[in-house]
Amino acid sequence: MGARDAWSSIPYRQRQAIKGELLARDGLVCCVCKTPIASMSVATIEHKRERNAGGALLDYNNLGLAHPRCNYGRHGSSQRTRVIDARAFF
Ligand SMILES: [Zn+2]
């Protein structure tokens, strides 16, 4: 998918800098499930809206830190999405 490809093209160091900005703004808290994340090394960057729904790639208002399972759960298999839905996070 185009959005994922574009995100992957951002240099690693720039992505680390973005994570630092999000940490300063939000703290080490998952933007999907609102619970703490163990460490920055496992935190991922989540797009709160899909880009094709109006979210810009580098719009900080559209970005937040997330657990890997929360981030990939939203974009990944329907099975993972169902698990998250069952926990009433949305
Ligand atoms: Zn989470």
Side-chain angles (χ1 to χ4, degrees):
M1 193 171 89
R4 305 292 286 174
D5 293 344
W7 187 244
S8 305
S9 72
I10 296 175
Y12 175 79
R13 284 175 58 186
Q14 186 176 356
R15 278 183 276 163
Q16 294 304 109
I18 293 167
K19 285 172 73 172
E21 293 286 334
L22 296 172
L23 175 66
R25 187 189 67 184
D26 299 334
L28 200 47
V29 175
C30 175
C31 73
V32 178
C33 71
K34 312 299 184 190
T35 63
I37 301 171
S39 75
M40 276 302 277
S41 64
V42 299
T44 65
I45 300 171
E46 164 74 358
H47 289 85
K48 296 177 181 178
R49 296 184 305 271
E50 295 292 343
R51 291 188 68 215
N52 59 17
L57 184 61
L58 285 177
D59 176 358
Y60 280 88
N61 292 323
N62 189 36
L63 298 174
L65 298 174
H67 295 111
R69 74 167 184 278
C70 292
N71 196 346
Y72 301 143
R74 288 185 56 178
H75 305 293
S77 74
S78 58
Q79 185 174 8
R80 285 180 183 160
T81 301
R82 275 203 302 276
V83 170
I84 292 172
D85 287 345
R87 293 167 72 180
F89 289 146
F90 298 103

